[in-house]
């Protein structure tokens, strides 16, 4: 039996990065990461290695966790006070929280922004609100998988 945490961190971020490579806006200056745990770090590493952003932002519920997250990094990352501040004007948004209720609202998001929605991987977990799910062009790797596991898809009814 092997601990799969390291592999999960890398391969999940890699899949998100592929989605961003194919679907992000042509001009993508601002990256926003919601969450400051293991997936936040692996997404930060992959996204900043592959793409060039002018600004990177992070938000999570506990500010001290954000501070710890940015303290490990060599490049400056802006710690945001709210999800709204963090995503406002962002071109690429990564959601890697353990939220079970929506934290991200359609009204805060720049038109055309690319969202890699990772965290809500259980049928009763949410990160994105219903309006966002309905207005977005939603891409999944597997329709069957998404309809069985993604709370954002199942509960929004898209
Ligand atoms: N789609 C996929 O393939 C995968 C999905 N995941 C999912 O991604 C998420 C992040 O994983 P990982 O980084 O490893 O987990 P960590 O435990 O390392 O980090 C979790 C993060 O979520 C935040 N958080 C926890 N609960 C809430 C909440 N109720 N509302 C808002 N933020 C919350 C924490 O912030 P704070 O401490 O500040 O509260 C922390 O930054 C998990 O939900 C995990 O199940 C993980 C791997 C693969
Ligand atoms: O695909 C995966 O490895 C995981 N999905 C949710 C937590 C871990």
């Amino acid at each position: 039996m092997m601990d799969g945490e390291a592999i999960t961190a890398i391969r999940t971020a890699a899949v998100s990065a592929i989605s961003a490579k194919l679907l992000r806006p042509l001009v993508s200056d601002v990256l926003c990461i919601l969450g400051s745990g293991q997936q936040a770090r692996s997404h930060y590493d992959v996204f900043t290695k592959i793409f060039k952003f002018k600004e990177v932002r992070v938000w999570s519920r506990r500010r001290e966790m954000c501070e710890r997250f940015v303290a490990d990094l060599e490049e400056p990352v802006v710690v945001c006070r709210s999800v709204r501040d963090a995503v406002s004007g962002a071109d690429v948004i990564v959601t890697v929280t353990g939220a079970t209720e929506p934290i991200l609202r359609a009204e805060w998001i720049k038109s055309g922004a690319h969202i890699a929605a990772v965290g809500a991987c259980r049928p009763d977990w949410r990160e994105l609100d219903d309006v966002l799910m309905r207005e977005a062009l939603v891409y999944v790797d597997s329709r069957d998988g998404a309809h069985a596991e993604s709370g954002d898809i199942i509960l929004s009814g898209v």
Side-chain angles (χ1 to χ4, degrees):
M1 183 83 77
M2 271 177 64
D3 183 347
E5 269 187 40
I7 293 169
T8 297
I10 294 165
R11 68 126 175 95
T12 307
V15 173
S16 296
I18 291 167
S19 79
K21 191 168 182 179
L22 298 172
L23 300 168
R24 77 189 190 288
L26 226 48
V27 177
S28 286
D29 289 336
V30 179
L31 168 67
C32 167
I33 299 174
L34 302 179
S36 60
Q38 195 169 27
Q39 288 292 331
R41 180 57 199 253
S42 60
H43 279 73
Y44 172 86
D45 289 344
V46 173
F47 276 62
T48 56
K49 194 178 177 82
I50 295 180
F51 311 116
K52 292 277 165 266
F53 296 103
K54 290 184 177 161
E55 184 180 343
V56 181
R57 304 173 186 164
V58 65
W59 169 89
S60 83
R61 288 180 308 180
R62 289 179 294 163
R63 194 175 171 93
E64 66 270 25
M65 299 306 287
C66 277
E67 303 288 0
R68 192 181 297 178
F69 177 82
V70 300
D72 279 347
L73 307 173
E74 281 169 18
E75 298 295 322
V77 169
V78 180
V79 173
C80 296
R81 289 185 177 280
S82 65
V83 175
R84 183 180 192 155
D85 287 351
V87 301
S88 173
D91 304 294
V92 177
I93 299 167
V94 174
T95 67
V96 278
T97 75
T100 53
E101 302 291 331
I103 57 163
L104 185 54
R105 291 199 200 161
E107 68 207 63
W108 299 334
I109 292 167
K110 183 175 174 179
S111 175
H114 176 68
I115 304 170
V118 175
C121 56
R122 300 277 176 263
D124 55 348
W125 289 3
R126 298 293 301 267
E127 289 185 307
L128 280 48
D129 80 354
D130 283 348
V131 180
L132 180 51
M133 288 304 296
R134 288 186 197 129
E135 288 180 351
L137 200 49
V138 178
Y139 293 81
V140 297
D141 55 354
S142 151
R143 274 176 190 268
D144 289 346
H147 281 292
E149 293 180 13
S150 163
D152 283 327
I153 287 181
I154 295 162
L155 298 173
S156 66
V158 299

